[in-house]
Amino acid sequence: MNFNKLKFGQTIGIIGGGQLGKMMAQSAQKMGFRVVVLDPDPECPCQNVAHQFIEAAYDDMDALKELGTLSDVITYEFENIAAEQLKQLVDQYNVPQGYQAIQLLQDRLTEKQSLQKAGAHVVPFIQVTNEADLTQAADELGFPFMLKTRFGGYDGKGQILVQSSEQFDEAYQLISNQECVAEQFLDLKKEVSLTVTIGKDAQTIFFPLQENEHRDQILFKTIVPARSDKELEARQEVEKIAKAIHFVGTFTVEFFIDQSDHLYVNEIAPRPHNSGHYSIEACDYSQFDTHILAVTGQQLPNQIELLKPAVMMNLLGKDLDLLENEFYNHPEWHVHIYGKTERKPLRKMGHMTLLTNDVNQTEQRMLETFEGRDKE
């Protein structure tokens, strides 16, 4: 991959104007770059911080080419871009991340097959296209098992937990919409993730291992450093993956740790990730800083330093309802509000990070603060 090193004043094009695009743009601007963003939502969080905004659908090829013409490099904030359109951009413009990772990771089946081929440790899975496959999944994986659509779905969408044959009718309905992947259900001990940035000359830097908790399939909190001894093993898994799949910029690999203390690769996000948001305050470089350095062809730092342990809490719509009047009473809360105009109970509206010398104590205090979120 040939990297074109950008200079001050040159332009970064971002496909996607959500909170990740906004935080990318903010990192880019502090480094002296201009930003142009493409998003179909005229009120998306990023449009207020971009130098130029293109309101268009993600599959609008004319608009994507306009973005390419205006930009010296193009990146993206999420993986639901049509791979075919992205490939056309790669052929004509400077897109260091390429299209291959997007094409691969949009399909849960090919993602898992590729991870397996790379030698990564993945949860046992079976392709499910019909009722016979569903019965086979039950026989080979046992109950319960997760059934997930091959394409689309995030934050728990497009998946169900099949606990017995009594749920087959619900499972058939999911299969009737599109092919699925059945995964063995693990008795989880912990969920962790590793955020990584790859730059020019394959320079690779790792952020600290992150410990995550999900509620309703949405990230609830992240603790750093993770209370786990799996960091070296997680790095080794990521190195296998990086040899098999082309990555440039910041990406995150999510892992499961089961009760037998085995580490499994769960999913890959080929861009900055919710569980890496703590890095804005807690590290000497944020995941967005290193992403911008990588895609603009700059040298990456030799390593990432965790300045202080941290607890990061997601802020959903119902959390803003609960805590909005409390934010300004707590200067120790580093609050980020994304600027989304419509507040929904389970929509990610922001996050906050607390730097601490005692993550256990801080975690407990924040759990008590957020206890009202699940009582509404």
Side-chain angles (χ1 to χ4, degrees):
M1 172 62 65
N2 294 320
F3 283 82
N4 297 325
K5 185 175 180 179
L6 266 63
K7 299 178 180 179
F8 297 148
Q10 290 192 280
T11 300
I12 300 171
I14 302 175
I15 302 173
Q19 63 264 25
L20 298 179
K22 178 180 180 179
M23 289 182 272
M24 278 186 199
Q26 290 169 327
S27 282
Q29 288 171 352
K30 76 178 182 182
M31 297 180 198
F33 299 114
R34 292 178 57 81
V35 174
V36 55
V37 173
L38 182 148
D39 194 279
D41 181 2
E43 297 183 334
C44 65
C46 198
Q47 58 90 17
N48 284 320
V49 300
H51 292 91
Q52 193 167 345
F53 179 69
I54 300 171
E55 182 185 341
Y58 299 125
D59 60 356
D60 184 334
M61 203 61 224
D62 289 337
L64 289 168
K65 288 181 178 179
E66 180 186 357
L67 179 74
T69 301
L70 293 170
S71 305
D72 296 292
V73 68
I74 295 174
T75 185
Y76 46 79
E77 67 139 10
F78 70 120
E79 56 268 41
N80 291 326
I81 313 161
E84 183 55 40
Q85 272 84 15
L86 188 60
K87 183 179 185 302
Q88 291 185 52
L89 289 183
V90 170
D91 291 340
Q92 299 177 53
Y93 304 102
N94 179 22
V95 189
Q97 292 162 277
Y99 71 92
Q100 294 92 339
I102 286 288
Q103 187 176 53
L104 183 69
L105 301 179
Q106 283 178 343
D107 183 339
R108 281 193 172 99
L109 179 63
T110 58
E111 176 186 15
K112 291 187 179 301
Q113 290 171 335
S114 298
L115 290 172
Q116 196 174 55
K117 186 176 179 181
H121 195 198
V122 297
V123 178
F125 66 93
I126 291 176
Q127 181 180 359
V128 179
T129 61
N130 53 46
E131 296 180 14
D133 292 337
L134 192 63
T135 301
Q136 181 186 357
D139 291 341
E140 294 189 16
L141 303 177
F143 291 114
F145 62 86
M146 295 297 302
L147 188 67
K148 302 179 180 181
T149 55
R150 281 184 63 175
F151 301 95
Y154 61 94
D155 289 344
K157 298 177 177 67
Q159 59 182 267
I160 59 173
L161 177 64
V162 182
Q163 302 192 65
S164 72
S165 58
E166 293 179 359
Q167 285 185 268
F168 275 9
D169 285 345
E170 183 183 2
Y172 296 152
Q173 200 167 28
L174 195 63
I175 298 167
S176 68
N177 292 326
Q178 64 164 285
E179 292 184 10
C180 293
V181 177
E183 298 175 10
Q184 187 177 79
F185 182 78
L186 298 179
D187 185 8
L188 291 186
K189 176 181 178 181
K190 202 176 288 290
E191 295 179 64
V192 296
S193 60
L194 193 62
T195 296
V196 188
T197 304
I198 297 179
K200 64 179 182 179
D201 302 322
Q203 184 186 5
T204 304
I205 53 173
F206 296 92
F207 286 79
L209 189 66
Q210 299 141 191
E211 176 183 335
N212 305 317
E213 179 187 340
H214 289 79
R215 295 189 180 181
D216 299 320
Q217 287 81 48
I218 301 172
L219 184 65
F220 174 57
K221 72 174 187 295
T222 295
I223 292 176
V224 182
R227 294 165 294 192
S228 170
D229 61 358
K230 295 293 185 180
E231 182 155 0
L232 177 58
E233 187 178 347
R235 288 190 180 196
Q236 291 170 341
E237 292 292 287
V238 169
E239 287 167 355
K240 295 176 190 175
I241 294 166
K243 287 178 182 177
I245 303 173
H246 171 81
F247 285 109
V248 170
T250 296
F251 65 101
T252 294
V253 180
E254 298 178 70
F255 298 91
F256 291 145
I257 302 173
D258 69 9
Q259 293 294 338
S260 299
D261 213 34
H262 295 135
L263 184 79
Y264 297 88
V265 176
N266 176 32
E267 292 181 343
I268 304 172
R271 36 74 182 168
H273 189 257
N274 196 171
S275 65
H277 290 348
Y278 72 91
S279 61
I280 297 172
E281 284 86 21
C283 296
D284 54 347
Y285 291 82
S286 78
Q287 63 168 343
F288 303 100
D289 295 338
T290 56
H291 180 76
I292 295 299
L293 290 173
V295 299
T296 58
Q298 317 297 324
Q299 188 74 20
L300 297 178
N302 290 328
Q303 63 181 22
I304 297 298
E305 181 180 353
L306 181 66
L307 303 176
K308 199 166 186 178
V311 177
M312 190 280 294
M313 310 290 297
N314 254 343
L315 296 172
L316 307 181
K318 60 183 178 180
D319 299 317
L320 296 193
D321 294 340
L322 178 70
L323 298 172
E324 189 167 3
N325 295 329
E326 295 295 316
F327 290 142
Y328 301 106
N329 298 324
H330 294 274
E332 74 278 13
W333 294 357
H334 295 272
V335 178
H336 296 251
I337 301 299
Y338 301 146
K340 297 177 181 178
T341 54
E342 185 178 1
R343 184 184 298 187
K344 298 178 182 178
L346 296 179
R347 191 182 192 192
K348 294 175 185 174
M349 303 299 294
H351 73 270
M352 67 181 188
T353 301
L354 290 82
L355 306 182
T356 178
N357 291 319
D358 188 336
V359 293
N360 294 322
Q361 183 183 73
T362 299
E363 176 192 30
Q364 184 57 41
R365 187 168 67 247
M366 295 317 299
L367 289 176
E368 293 169 359
T369 301
F370 278 72
E371 66 182 359
R373 76 186 315 196
D374 296 318
K375 294 179 180 178
E376 297 181 358

